[in-house]
């Protein structure tokens, strides 16, 4: 029995969806542990493109169970829309989807308060996805949030919702938010959604622990990424949950002793959506060229992603925080057009070398990236499926990253489709691919 986690290491959108889909074949259960519908995970199977936000990507494999854990925040209408749209494309979503009774619920006042906070003059704007994710987690930590189990208890929910909605309404008025919202209308809407969600809801922590006892294998689907993690990312320019390894356990109820392998996903370069420091960011035509080559536009919001070079100090930090078993490098094919590829190999802060991430965003803004230029391969790698078939300069690029990061690069992605993947001999990913689910 061995469980696997797939985590993003940069600022999200590394291609986690693709790797989770590939790995899911070999697991029984795929679990999401944090985040909400701020996530957008793309899975491409032939000419079909699926974009998943709340439902774990494992749902696409027949015979697998997809679990939305207690650490996730759920907008019921968004969850139901996603279920409906998956069903329209022929994906079965019945008893193969389980939703935690302990997960917290996103309410209409969450995005409203978030928009107001983002627009407050003089306040640091985060550039959020505007889905109300941050305010929902705020309520959870402030112990005034409402869980899915409560939503399903009609009388209890009605009472609690009215009290909290009134209190949040008073906060909104005090903040000068003029946008009206109809709390009785919302109450009705949420009660209707509750009935449609009811068949999926269970105590997923119990389900997961019972399944482990029966010898089932779990795949943990990370959302967001280490540099967006509430504790270890570029605070405050990050999301409101623990997107690094620690969040997998608190968000699922599965002990750290049962997490066996952790595979990190990183692009062969770097991107970020929203505000915040980005040491290797490219401005001007070079950044535009990378964005065009990589199709770097947000999966959830469609915003252009900021683009830059691969950042070794950042990846070394993410490796330390997550203690990776292996690394999966995506979008190698995007670099095909380059004759030279700069890679950030070190940081300097006010003239001195820096070997760890600063804790303050303003200090990180000041960091100077030190580069080494590597030769590009300047020929197509799209769709290559064996390491030996890559051009020598591409092999050297991967070997350089592996050497500097001191972690196995177990796989390389050369296109968005399942088959456009290299799994290296003897790697953790090869071991995963050679084992069977129950
Ligand atoms: P996630 O949030 O980490 O799951 O990543 P997203 O789905 O938001 O963004 C990754 C994008 O890159 C998606 O459009 C994928 O289809 C695409 N993609 C993944 N791997 C590759 C690759 O190796 N090459 C190319 N060109 N595109 C890829
Ligand atoms: P996946 O799982 C990329 C970013 C937002 C913003 C910050 C806070 O697809 O990798 P939030 O709405 O979470 O409060 O926004 O975090 N962000 C992501 N960026 N990929 C994601 O998810 C993201 N989820 C949140 O752009 O900068
Ligand atoms: Mg994404």
């Amino acid at each position: 029995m061995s469980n696997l986690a797939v985590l993003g290491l940069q600022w999200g959108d590394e291609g986690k969806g693709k790797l989770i889909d590939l790995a899911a074949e070999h697991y029984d259960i795929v679990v999401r542990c944090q985040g909400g519908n701020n996530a957008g995970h793309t899975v491409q199977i032939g000419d079909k493109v699926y974009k998943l936000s709340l439902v774990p990507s494992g749902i696409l494999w027949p015979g697998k169970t997809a679990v939305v854990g207690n650490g996730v925040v759920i907008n019921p209408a968004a969850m139901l829309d996603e279920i409906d749209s998956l069903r329209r494309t022929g994906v079965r979503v019945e008893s193969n989807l389980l939703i935690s009774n302990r997960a917290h619920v996103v309410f209409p006042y969450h995005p409203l308060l978030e928009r107001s906070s983002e627009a407050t003059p003089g306040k640091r704007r985060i550039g959020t996805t505007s889905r109300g994710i941050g305010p929902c987690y705020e309520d959870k930590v402030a112990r005034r949030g409402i869980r899915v189990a409560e939503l399903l208890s009609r009388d209890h929910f009605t009472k609690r919702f009215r009290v909290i909605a009134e209190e949040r309404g008073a906060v909104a008025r005090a903040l000068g938010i003029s946008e009206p919202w109809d709390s009785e209308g919302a109450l009705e809407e949420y009660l209707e959604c509750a009935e449609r969600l009811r068949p999926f809801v269970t105590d997923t922590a119990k389900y997961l622990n019972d399944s482990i006892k029966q010898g089932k294998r779990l795949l943990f689907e990370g959302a967001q990424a280490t540099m967006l993690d509430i504790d270890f990312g570029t605070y405050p320019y990050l999301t409101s949950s623990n997107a690094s390894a620690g969040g997998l356990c608190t968000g699922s109820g599965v002990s750290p002793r049962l997490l066996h392998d952790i595979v990190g996903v990183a692009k062969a370069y770097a991107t970020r959506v929203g505000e915040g420091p980005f040491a290797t960011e490219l401005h001007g035509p070079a950044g535009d060229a990378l964005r065009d080559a990589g199709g770097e536009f947000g999966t959830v919001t469609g915003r252009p992603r900021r683009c830059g070079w691969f950042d070794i100090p950042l990846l070394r930090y993410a490796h330390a925080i997550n203690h990776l078993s292996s690394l999966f490098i995506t979008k190698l094919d995007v670099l095909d057009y380059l004759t030279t590829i700069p890679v950030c190999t070190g940081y300097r802060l006010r003239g001195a070398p820096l070997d760890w991430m600063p804790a303050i965003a303003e200090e990180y803004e000041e960091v100077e990236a030190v580069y080494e230029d590597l030769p590009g391969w300047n020929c197509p790698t799209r769709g290559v499926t064996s390491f030996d078939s890559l051009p020598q300069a591409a092999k050297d690029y991967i070997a350089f990253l592996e050497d500097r990061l001191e972690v196995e690069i177990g796989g390389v992605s050369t296109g968005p489709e399942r088959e456009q993947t290299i799994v290296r001999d003897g790697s953790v990913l090869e071991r995963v691919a050679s084992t069977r689910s129950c």
Side-chain angles (χ1 to χ4, degrees), residues 75-380:
N75 179 324
M79 173 66 93
L80 290 166
D81 281 353
E82 195 169 329
I83 292 171
D84 288 343
S85 89
L86 282 165
R87 283 176 172 163
R88 276 196 299 277
T89 56
V91 176
R92 177 177 168 264
V93 189
E94 305 293 342
S95 55
N96 55 336
L97 175 66
L98 298 175
I99 298 172
S100 171
N101 56 356
R102 292 170 208 266
H104 277 250
V105 180
V106 178
F107 290 102
Y109 45 80
H110 291 134
L112 201 68
L113 291 165
E114 180 174 8
R115 277 199 299 277
S116 153
S117 162
E118 286 281 88
T120 306
K123 233 178 143 185
R124 291 184 289 195
R125 204 180 83 81
I126 312 298
T128 69
T129 59
S130 310
R131 300 292 191 268
I133 306 301
C136 183
Y137 278 116
E138 279 178 44
D139 282 0
K140 171 177 172 173
V141 176
R143 294 164 295 182
R144 61 169 170 256
I146 298 181
R147 288 172 161 188
V148 169
E150 297 179 90
L151 177 66
L152 298 191
S153 175
R154 199 179 172 91
D155 292 345
H156 167 89
F157 172 67
T158 303
K159 275 193 222 131
R160 275 214 71 205
F161 178 77
R162 284 192 175 132
V163 172
I164 293 166
E166 188 172 331
E167 191 252 350
R168 293 287 90 193
V171 170
R173 281 191 298 280
L175 288 169
I177 298 172
S178 54
E179 222 174 306
W181 70 285
D182 165 18
S183 67
E184 286 304 305
L187 176 63
E188 280 314 307
E189 188 198 319
Y190 275 71
L191 286 169
E192 271 171 40
C193 287
E195 290 318 306
R196 289 195 57 206
L197 286 178
R198 189 181 295 280
F200 300 107
V201 177
T202 191
D203 192 321
T204 53
K206 179 174 190 317
Y207 169 81
L208 292 172
N209 283 292
D210 287 349
S211 301
I212 290 168
K213 273 198 197 141
Q214 291 160 14
K216 298 242 168 85
R217 287 156 52 90
L218 270 52
L219 172 62
F220 294 84
E221 172 166 348
Q224 289 84 45
T226 300
M227 297 314 294
L228 291 172
D229 179 283
I230 184 73
D231 283 283
F232 297 106
T234 45
Y235 194 90
Y237 302 99
L238 34 72
T239 195
S240 299
S241 61
N242 282 113
S244 56
L248 299 168
C249 299
T250 52
S252 66
V254 175
S255 160
R257 292 185 59 215
L258 296 167
L259 273 189
H260 304 107
D261 282 305
I262 300 185
V263 176
V265 186
K267 282 180 193 174
Y269 48 100
T271 65
R272 159 162 220 168
V273 226
E275 305 301 316
F278 181 177
T280 64
E281 181 169 14
L282 282 164
H283 300 278
D288 296 343
L290 200 46
R291 181 177 312 110
D292 288 347
E296 296 295 355
F297 295 89
T299 310
V300 173
T301 58
R303 292 177 290 176
R305 295 178 183 142
R306 299 156 64 193
C307 296
W309 300 124
F310 195 88
D311 185 335
I312 285 177
L314 181 149
L315 260 288
R316 287 179 72 97
Y317 172 77
H319 177 30
I321 296 297
N322 297 302
H323 198 74
L324 305 173
S325 318
S326 187
L327 176 61
F328 186 68
I329 295 287
T330 60
K331 301 191 113 170
L332 187 75
D333 54 297
V334 172
L335 303 183
D336 287 352
Y337 72 100
L338 293 160
T339 46
T340 301
I341 309 175
V343 173
C344 169
T345 51
Y347 283 170
R348 296 184 77 80
L349 181 62
R350 295 171 210 136
L354 192 71
D355 68 352
W356 194 250
M357 280 293 157
I360 302 173
E362 285 70 14
E363 207 163 86
Y364 190 33
E365 288 281 6
E366 274 187 59
V367 162
E368 181 200 340
V370 179
Y371 292 98
E372 281 185 41
D373 282 346
L374 270 65
W377 40 96
N378 204 221
C379 65

Side-chain angles (χ1 to χ4, degrees), residues 13-17 40-42 299 305 331 333 382 413-416:
D13 303 327
E14 294 88 351
K16 297 176 290 294
H41 297 173
T42 314
T299 310
R305 295 178 183 142
K331 301 191 113 170
D333 54 297
R382 185 138 175 153
S413 176
T414 57

